[in-house]
Amino acid sequence: MRTEVANRLVMTRAMVSARRQPSTLNSYAWVWAFPLKDGKFRVSTVEIPKPFVDEDACFGEEDIERVHVATVETVEEIDTVVRELGVDPETLDAPWKDDFPL
């Protein structure tokens, strides 16, 4: 993970995300990591049907597929979990840089 991304998680306590391969051709998918109040970090995935994203349409929780992948103690452990999901940790960044819609 790049230093500025680690700093975003640790110092500003803000989330990061990266695109990942979706489970279906009809969805877009991301992996995201965010700091928890207890100092740990949660890593999750999210998939959203393409029409909602492509048409900039409103959507609700029932339209989103979220999967909690792991809760880890350190930023370094995020890299391992992200790699296991098939994503290069170097691609993690601020959510607006990879069109993360949430």
Side-chain angles (χ1 to χ4, degrees), residues 3 9 22 33 69 78-79 81 89:
T3 302
L9 285 163
V69 178
I78 294 172
D79 285 357
V81 174

Side-chain angles (χ1 to χ4, degrees), residues 21-58:
Q21 195 67 28
S23 63
T24 70
L25 294 175
N26 299 343
S27 297
Y28 292 117
W30 291 264
V31 60
W32 55 309
F34 59 97
L36 299 172
K37 290 181 181 182
D38 64 2
K40 296 177 184 175
F41 301 91
R42 178 168 292 156
V43 180
S44 298
T45 62
V46 64
E47 290 199 28
I48 301 171
K50 284 183 176 182
F52 292 121
V53 177
D54 292 344
E55 297 166 18
D56 199 23
C58 291

